[in-house]
Amino acid sequence: MAEDTQETTTGTGAAAPSRRSVIGWGGAGLALGAAVAGGAVALTRDGDTAVPVAESGAAVPFHGPHQAGIATAVQDRLHFAAFDVKTKDRAELVQLLKDWTRAAERMTAGAEVGEGAYGGLPEAPPDDTGEALGLKPSRLTLTIGFGPSLFDGRFGLKDKRPGALVELPKFPGDNLDPARSGGDLCVQACADDPQVAVHAIRNLARIGFGKVAVRWSQLGFGKTSSTTPDAQTPRNLFGFKDGTRNIAGTDAERLAKHVWVSGKDAEGAAAWMDGGSYLVARRIRMNVETWDRTPLAEQEDIFGRDKREGAPVGKAKEHDEPFLKAMKPDSHVRLAHPDTNAGATILRRGYSFTDGTDGLGRLEAGLFFLAYQKDVRTGFVPVQTSLARADALNEYIQHVGSALFAIPPGVRDKDDWWGRALFS
Amino acid sequence: MRAVRLSVVTAAATAAALAAVTGCTEKSDAKADDGTVTVVAKDDSCEVSKKEFPAGHVNLAVENRGSKVTEVYVLYPDDRIVTERENIGPGTKASLTAEIKAGDYEIACKPGMVGDGIRQQVKATGGAAGAKRSPEMDAAVAAYRQYVQAQADATLPKVKVFTDAVRAGDVEAAKKAYAASRIGWERTEPVAESFGDIDPKVDVREDGLEAGQDPAKDWTGWHRLEKALWQDKKIGDREKQLADTLDKDLADWAKRVGKAEITPTSMANGAKELLDEVATGKVTGEEERYSRTDLVDFKANVEGAQKSFDLLKPVATKNDPKLVAELDKQFAALNTLLDKYRADKTGYDFTSYDKVGKPERKELSDGVNALAEPLSKLAAAVVK
């Protein structure tokens, strides 16, 4: 039997209650609450379409033909991280993906990672960091992606790099910071509670030490688009509604056409992508101070919609069909519209961010743009090409970070894991 | 039925309420019999209120009724220290708390703080009988104790080279000798820190001074001299005094370090603490902000952690072979990475940290994270 002695000195006669016992009592009660919350809500997917989960705090099913966090209802908060793979051992990377999958299953169900945040050997650091104890699942979704650099030959994946996983072109006006771009892997954590989203990435990063390292990360606070058109369209930091015509999570036809990889797009090198998607992540800095000094009429001309309602130029309601020719040729809505871009359509899932100040007395703020599509070459690239070339909004924004990830299909069951088809 | 949502604030309030209730309970118990063992120390006796007490969290309330300053120890039968309290002045009281497992012990009072002291046999009851470690554990602790003492003994002459140069007013010679004089300390720093008073005297940085302390008067040790040599570029009378003080404080360290409390758990935790030192002070460039000899400290910290690990490996391998394999791998990887920064693989002449760029610092930091995470599990592997 191993023995352990510790010395502490206190100024009073009575020993203070140990921190562990206090946390233990509190944690036990709170964890029970979490378990009830997780267990009380049993949801299922309807076919291969996610049913929007409007109930705040509920759990979003982790398993299914597609990963959650794409077409599922957009939560209020984001924690996104890109990782560089540090190990050179393919088996070690595979084991990490399996460990991450198990942890993701548990966290999205409102449970703790591994053996939990307390109750184990006092000499061992707890498996879970504990800050989500007692919190509901908060509709947490965890979505993994694989970047182009993962397919460079280190892990025998060269022949499995999909044609759509291109290097994005350099668009006019891009000022990309390498420290905020790229990555071998990414994880997108969305939740209604910021503590739940942060906890998820923190615990995955911790599991990954020695195998992956965080390359960059981004917190987001207000969603700027939704997949639930009946809900009010969110606004961006310029005060305008964003993503009015976004694809609804219930629109199986448009999802199949524009978002989910299938058929000939999932053949050859991309066979493992069947049911997956492609994610573009762009950190867009907004010059909110100069925007705030811009007259209302000019703001509305720049967007092509009115500020109050979000109605297109010449129309009365937000969802009225836009008449593009009534908008200025350099207006944002006109340039971004599918009709201007050979039908290019993307599923947007962006968030606003503020990361302190820029050191010049201004907010470091903007839009962390996330877009899912079937093929970036017919999705984001033509749209961004139009915008970068001519958009009046370019005077107020700058793209400062960029990454593209192949998003594998969903984890089917408890024996499946993130990226299994890729590594098989 | 859906559970009521508990926000973070509610969770914190609940935990606080539980703490308050638990605290009340504890205080209430204190009125009855709180399990405290009272030790009355006199010049010629050492009275212990209980010869038997329950194992676990034990509180000793010491009262010195003698005329000499005294110290009180709890010792294993083989004289190893469980816990101690020094410098209990005449007519004063002190308290110490320790986690004591079931078994036989001695409580020793040492009036005048010399000799073997006046002893009383005591027994901690309950729990697992016989608080004895395996021979392997004892061997590991004994070997580590020897290592720690050897590091201190080897450090003194190297420090003297440094302090002699300071006393001679030779800035360049002192600079050359500075980093080498710190290696033994950085390898074993957690043990020195366990004394509480030595570390602040010899290794505090200016920003580490406590409120009310005056840097001109109270800042002593290596980093004060580092600043004088690299930033102020001069040696005055004050620096020469500080060199003498450093010699004296480190001699005190060398004299006491062999008697530090060392357990397999403290060895494992010490290894983790060395890596924490690297993560917070070395990789960031904060520790040696004037001399930029951070990589020398870094290497020494890693060597000290590796020594603990190597000594604990026989036991840890039995309990968690996978962890041991991972640690072997990550120590090797980090050492390989550090070797990029020295031409001579056996020397301590490392690249100045101001020549290490941001991407390289991140690479070092990733290596530290890769090692520190499994190292934090070593203590559990040892006690399993």
Side-chain angles (χ1 to χ4, degrees):
Chain A
M1 169 89 183
E3 66 197 344
D4 170 42
T5 59
Q6 288 176 5
E7 174 182 8
T8 61
T9 302
T10 61
T12 60
S18 83
R19 180 178 170 78
R20 175 172 305 280
S21 67
V22 173
I23 293 174
W25 273 107
L30 298 171
L32 179 61
V36 171
V41 184
L43 301 176
T44 58
R45 305 275 185 96
D46 184 3
D48 71 351
T49 303
V51 176
V53 181
E55 188 178 17
S56 180
V60 175
F62 180 75
H63 296 137
H66 312 292
Q67 289 196 69
I70 301 170
T72 47
V74 184
Q75 305 91 320
D76 291 336
R77 309 288 181 145
L78 170 82
H79 192 189
F80 190 99
F83 296 87
D84 291 326
V85 175
K86 290 304 187 182
T87 183
K88 295 175 170 51
D89 183 335
R90 177 186 164 111
E92 208 165 46
L93 175 56
V94 165
Q95 184 60 49
L96 174 66
L97 292 169
K98 292 177 176 177
D99 293 342
W100 267 7
T101 307
R102 303 283 85 83
E105 283 166 347
R106 292 181 59 81
M107 289 191 285
T108 53
E112 294 157 64
V113 169
E115 294 184 9
Y118 60 90
L121 277 172
E123 288 81 10
D127 282 349
D128 186 293
T129 54
E131 70 271 33
L133 282 169
L135 299 183
K136 291 177 160 185
S138 303
R139 297 196 294 166
L140 174 68
T141 57
L142 289 168
T143 315
I144 197 170
F146 302 128
S149 50
L150 187 70
F151 297 82
D152 60 2
R154 288 172 289 164
F155 306 108
L157 301 175
K158 266 186 178 176
D159 294 340
K160 293 198 164 184
R161 178 171 171 174
L165 194 61
V166 296
E167 296 296 333
L168 293 175
K170 180 161 169 50
F171 299 99
D174 277 1
N175 181 22
L176 305 182
D177 179 358
R180 294 187 192 271
S181 303
D184 294 330
L185 304 171
C186 76
V187 180
Q188 170 196 280
C190 301
D192 289 321
D193 186 319
Q195 186 105 328
V196 170
V198 167
H199 167 266
I201 296 291
R202 176 180 173 191
N203 282 264
L204 295 182
R206 188 177 171 213
I207 291 167
F209 278 137
K211 294 157 273 277
V212 298
V214 177
R215 178 182 177 90
W216 56 269
S217 72
Q218 182 69 58
L219 284 172
F221 62 87
K223 64 192 179 194
T224 65
S225 29
S226 81
T227 55
T228 47
D230 292 342
Q232 175 175 286
T233 304
R235 292 180 187 259
N236 58 33
L237 291 187
F238 287 155
F240 278 77
K241 290 184 178 179
D242 214 325
T244 296
R245 295 175 53 84
N246 211 28
I247 301 172
T250 52
D251 191 338
E253 185 181 348
R254 287 184 86 206
L255 289 169
K257 185 175 181 186
H258 299 296
V259 177
W260 305 131
V261 175
S262 64
K264 69 183 198 311
D265 295 307
E267 289 171 4
W272 59 277
M273 279 290 288
D274 197 355
S277 187
Y278 292 92
L279 168 65
V280 172
R282 302 278 286 191
R283 188 178 195 272
I284 303 175
R285 174 77 193 282
M286 286 172 150
N287 302 324
V288 295
E289 290 81 11
T290 52
W291 175 263
D292 295 344
R293 297 170 193 145
T294 302
L296 177 60
E298 188 178 340
Q299 290 188 11
E300 291 180 339
D301 283 345
I302 287 170
F303 267 94
R305 292 183 177 275
D306 78 352
K307 193 155 201 178
R308 176 184 176 185
E309 174 67 29
V313 172
K315 304 286 179 164
K317 295 292 182 185
E318 179 191 350
H319 291 284
D320 290 348
E321 190 65 28
F323 181 53
L324 300 184
K325 287 180 180 173
M327 300 174 184
K328 293 195 168 183
D330 58 359
S331 81
H332 185 70
V333 166
R334 179 168 179 176
L335 290 169
H337 197 275
D339 290 352
T340 304
N341 299 294
T345 304
I346 54 184
L347 171 61
R348 302 178 50 164
R349 203 180 175 90
Y351 285 83
S352 297
F353 68 83
T354 55
D355 291 335
T357 82
D358 65 358
L360 296 168
R362 306 182 297 213
L363 298 180
E364 166 78 40
L367 167 63
F368 188 61
F369 176 87
L370 295 167
Y372 287 89
Q373 59 246 281
K374 183 190 281 259
D375 190 324
V376 69
R377 295 169 296 187
T378 56
F380 174 77
V381 171
V383 174
Q384 184 57 26
T385 300
S386 291
L387 292 171
R389 192 160 45 210
D391 194 354
L393 195 61
N394 290 338
E395 185 179 340
Y396 300 94
I397 63 167
Q398 187 169 61
H399 288 235
V400 295
S402 179
L404 170 63
F405 299 97
I407 306 296
V411 173
R412 299 277 174 166
D413 52 45
K414 284 194 180 298
D415 297 316
D416 196 359
W417 43 279
W418 270 339
R420 182 173 72 169
L422 172 61
F423 285 92
S424 299
Chain B
M1 166 138 193
R2 191 142 51 92
V4 175
R5 175 193 164 103
L6 280 170
S7 70
V8 178
V9 172
T10 305
T14 304
L18 286 167
V21 169
T22 308
C24 290
T25 303
E26 199 72 29
K27 288 195 182 95
S28 170
D29 284 350
K31 298 297 191 287
D33 180 1
D34 63 0
T36 299
V37 179
T38 303
V39 180
V40 176
K42 297 177 178 174
D43 293 347
D44 56 0
S45 69
C46 182
E47 296 170 5
V48 177
S49 66
K50 296 176 188 179
K51 297 299 174 62
E52 285 193 14
F53 44 82
H57 209 66
V58 179
N59 184 65
L60 297 179
V62 181
E63 187 181 352
N64 182 356
R65 293 194 196 160
S67 62
K68 301 176 184 174
V69 67
T70 194
E71 59 190 6
V72 172
Y73 291 82
V74 180
L75 303 166
Y76 290 104
D78 62 4
D79 261 18
R80 281 177 291 114
I81 297 169
V82 177
T83 188
E84 66 181 302
R85 183 64 183 259
E86 297 176 339
N87 290 301
I88 306 169
T92 67
K93 295 181 181 180
S95 174
L96 65 164
T97 304
E99 228 27 75
I100 298 182
K101 293 191 170 166
D104 293 321
Y105 297 88
E106 292 181 345
I107 291 180
C109 304
K110 298 191 182 185
M113 307 215 300
V114 295
D116 284 347
I118 306 163
R119 300 187 174 206
Q120 296 285 357
Q121 304 290 318
V122 295
K123 179 188 281 285
T125 60
K132 293 201 197 298
R133 294 190 296 224
S134 71
E136 278 165 314
M137 296 281 226
D138 284 342
V141 169
Y144 189 67
R145 191 179 297 280
Q146 284 166 27
Y147 172 77
V148 166
Q149 185 69 65
Q151 290 302 309
D153 293 342
T155 291
L156 295 191
K158 292 197 173 92
V159 169
K160 189 168 187 298
V161 173
F162 172 63
T163 54
D164 278 350
V166 172
R167 281 184 284 267
D170 189 338
V171 171
E172 288 312 309
K175 281 180 166 181
K176 278 194 177 68
Y178 172 79
S181 74
R182 292 174 45 71
I183 289 168
W185 170 268
E186 289 293 337
R187 285 174 176 153
T188 59
E189 187 169 6
V191 180
E193 281 171 3
S194 72
F195 292 115
D197 60 330
I198 296 177
D199 186 49
K201 287 179 179 173
V202 305
D203 201 28
V204 72
R205 298 189 297 268
E206 186 163 13
D207 49 288
L209 292 171
E210 292 177 19
Q213 286 191 301
D214 179 356
K217 285 178 18 227
D218 300 316
W219 188 18
T220 60
W222 270 298
H223 295 301
R224 166 67 176 80
L225 292 169
E226 177 199 5
K227 185 183 183 190
L229 295 168
W230 271 273
Q231 177 166 286
D232 305 329
K233 302 188 205 298
K234 69 186 182 201
I235 297 174
D237 286 345
R238 177 63 179 154
E239 280 72 39
K240 294 176 184 183
Q241 285 168 14
L242 288 169
D244 290 342
T245 300
L246 183 61
D247 281 337
K248 179 171 63 66
D249 290 335
L250 290 173
D252 183 40
W253 165 57
K255 182 179 171 189
R256 293 163 60 186
V257 77
K259 297 194 280 282
E261 181 204 342
I262 297 173
T263 67
T265 301
S266 74
M267 285 168 68
N269 286 332
K272 171 197 169 301
E273 283 160 29
L274 284 165
L275 263 291
D276 291 348
E277 269 281 316
V278 175
T280 58
K282 312 295 159 50
V283 144
T284 55
E286 201 178 310
E287 175 89 8
E288 305 289 356
R289 64 191 68 164
Y290 310 108
S291 66
R292 313 325 315 257
T293 56
D294 306 81
L295 286 175
V296 180
D297 288 0
F298 192 148
K299 179 64 177 178
N301 287 154
V302 172
E303 286 178 335
Q306 185 152 24
K307 184 65 173 182
S308 286
F309 167 59
D310 284 345
L311 294 175
L312 293 168
K313 204 189 279 193
V315 174
T317 299
K318 275 195 273 187
N319 295 338
D320 196 340
K322 202 168 157 187
L323 178 69
V324 168
E326 176 69 13
L327 283 167
D328 276 333
K329 176 182 165 184
Q330 297 300 348
F331 268 113
L334 187 53
N335 283 321
T336 298
L337 196 54
L338 281 165
D339 281 348
K340 284 167 52 174
Y341 298 98
R342 58 179 175 175
D344 175 8
K345 301 312 185 220
T346 63
Y348 287 85
D349 200 353
F350 280 89
T351 302
S352 176
Y353 209 56
D354 56 1
K355 294 186 172 64
V356 178
K358 200 171 175 184
E360 288 75 31
R361 292 183 184 199
K362 179 172 191 298
E363 188 181 25
L364 288 164
S365 178
D366 288 344
V368 171
N369 283 331
L371 173 57
E373 189 71 21
L375 198 53
S376 71
K377 298 173 168 58
L378 182 59
V382 157
V383 305
K384 252 178 214 172

